[in-house]
Amino acid sequence: MSKSPPPNRSAASGKASEVRLSPDEIRRLCEFLYRRTGMTFGESKRYYIERRIADRMSATDMRTFPAYFSYLQTSEVEVEQLINIFTVNETYFYREEHQLHCLGRSLLPDIVRNRQPGDLVRIWSVPCSTGEEPYSLAIWLLENWRMVDAYHIEIVGSDIDTEALLKAQDGIYGERALSRLPAHVIDRYFEPPRDGQRRLIRDLRESVKFTSVNLVDKSSVAAQGRFDVVFCRNVLIYFDDASRELTADSLYDALNPGGYLCLGHTESMSRISKRFRLRRFEDAIVYQRPEGRDG
């Protein structure tokens, strides 16, 4: 016979104490996170969940999970902090570089073929984490797309994690984040090293706009406007089928007719939505919103 879980504990100050949640508490917390973010967690992630709840209980001086959960229902600030701590921010510059090749060689030439010099081209990175992906897009285009100065390129990075967005705006990165960038690119677009880190030059930091967005909130996505290319990589794997379908519809609506969606290499829109057209290019497989009123 298994023992009953020990009482919930947290430190009112200092280092967070261990917290043990009951199966029902795990279920209620996971349901709350799912409703707010679309991300699915469960009993198999118990250790991951309990460590993060212990941190938040300590930060809010809550000694029991019921007290913390009640507080969570009344504080949007704490909801934001909880979501931030559960968000995965694993990324680096020039990740999935083949899609960058595809962007310059295939997607953008197709998008601008009927446009005039100076016209707006919008590219969206969501979720953008701490900014490596949208900044990679800016650097890649400056280095590799000869038409970059002919059009008004707007790059937007969005994420649900507000702390990650602040780090993105600061534009300070360590060696691991920069490991895929050629040395001459680092020297061109980053300030001299300081304490083992490099900061993006001001012009590049100001070339990307950052916004907060929740992919499972259709109004939140709609508020970002329409885009020609959307990079939405390695987030659908954290959603269940219902959240994936909701997100797919929102992303479809966020694209201009003829616009392109780039997913992570383990993700497939074909298994989620039939609204997109699968396109095979030399460098990558992507998904397109067909031309016309509704494709």
Side-chain angles (χ1 to χ4, degrees):
M1 180 180 295
S2 61
K3 296 181 179 179
S4 300
N8 292 329
R9 305 186 303 276
S10 71
S13 61
K15 187 177 179 180
S17 300
E18 180 184 351
V19 168
R20 177 69 177 174
L21 303 181
S22 70
D24 183 63
E25 288 170 339
I26 290 280
R27 178 189 59 77
R28 285 193 292 147
L29 178 67
C30 291
E31 287 177 353
F32 180 87
L33 284 168
Y34 175 75
R35 289 194 303 271
R36 288 302 189 109
T37 70
M39 294 186 295
T40 56
F41 298 95
E43 186 68 35
S44 63
K45 299 286 187 180
R46 170 178 286 277
Y47 178 71
Y48 178 89
I49 294 168
E50 289 178 338
R51 283 184 61 191
R52 282 150 181 78
I53 290 301
D55 287 343
R56 292 314 308 160
M57 286 173 58
S58 176
T60 55
D61 292 337
M62 297 293 167
R63 296 184 178 277
T64 68
F65 176 79
Y68 173 75
F69 197 67
S70 295
Y71 172 64
L72 194 63
Q73 315 301 311
T74 63
S75 173
E76 284 299 316
V77 172
E78 180 56 27
V79 171
E80 180 178 300
Q81 293 300 316
L82 181 71
I83 290 172
N84 288 351
I85 206 171
F86 271 87
T87 303
V88 178
N89 292 310
E90 175 65 23
T91 187
Y92 45 85
F93 282 85
Y94 279 16
R95 189 177 188 180
E96 301 200 34
E97 189 173 345
H98 64 286
Q99 289 187 346
L100 298 177
H101 286 279
C102 187
L103 177 68
R105 291 174 181 170
S106 303
L107 307 188
L108 288 178
D110 181 56
I111 287 166
V112 303
R113 59 188 164 87
N114 294 321
R115 298 191 187 182
Q116 299 298 316
D119 283 352
L120 177 65
V121 176
R122 301 190 77 217
I123 304 174
W124 194 22
S125 168
V126 58
C128 71
S129 185
T130 46
E132 289 90 336
E133 181 173 291
Y135 288 135
S136 289
L137 295 170
I139 292 172
W140 179 267
L141 293 179
L142 288 168
E143 287 291 297
N144 298 281
W145 194 45
R146 62 183 181 84
M147 301 297 291
V148 66
D149 291 325
Y151 297 92
H152 176 198
I153 308 293
E154 181 182 8
I155 299 174
V156 179
S158 303
D159 205 284
I160 197 172
D161 186 336
T162 55
E163 291 184 0
L165 290 173
L166 291 175
K167 292 179 180 178
Q169 291 170 331
D170 284 340
I172 300 172
Y173 300 98
E175 291 183 3
R176 185 181 184 283
L178 304 176
S179 61
R180 297 286 187 91
L181 290 178
H184 72 275
V185 170
I186 295 176
D187 289 340
R188 183 173 298 158
Y189 297 104
F190 290 81
E191 297 174 358
R194 182 176 180 181
D195 299 327
Q197 296 182 312
R198 304 285 292 258
R199 190 179 196 189
L200 282 160
I201 59 174
R202 179 184 295 274
D203 284 352
L204 198 61
R205 296 200 309 271
E206 293 178 349
S207 72
V208 176
K209 175 184 177 182
F210 290 99
T211 65
S212 177
V213 74
N214 185 343
L215 280 172
V216 297
D217 182 344
K218 290 184 73 71
S219 63
S220 177
V221 175
Q224 309 305 312
R226 289 279 187 89
F227 295 88
D228 297 295
V229 184
V230 173
F231 288 82
C232 183
R233 305 191 294 198
N234 307 310
V235 65
L236 296 179
I237 55 176
Y238 296 103
F239 291 173
D240 67 357
D241 289 344
S243 295
R244 290 189 189 107
E245 291 175 6
L246 175 61
T247 300
D249 284 341
S250 293
L251 292 175
Y252 184 93
D253 293 338
L255 283 169
N256 287 319
Y260 292 98
L261 171 66
C262 300
L263 299 179
H265 70 278
T266 64
E267 299 169 312
S268 172
M269 185 57 69
S270 300
R271 295 194 292 267
I272 303 171
S273 172
K274 302 301 182 184
R275 303 179 74 188
F276 293 86
R277 177 187 176 194
L278 186 147
R279 297 292 307 275
R280 298 179 185 273
F281 291 103
E282 177 184 355
D283 299 296
I285 295 174
V286 302
Y287 300 88
Q288 185 179 31
R289 173 173 175 166
E291 300 275 5
R293 184 172 56 186
D294 190 46

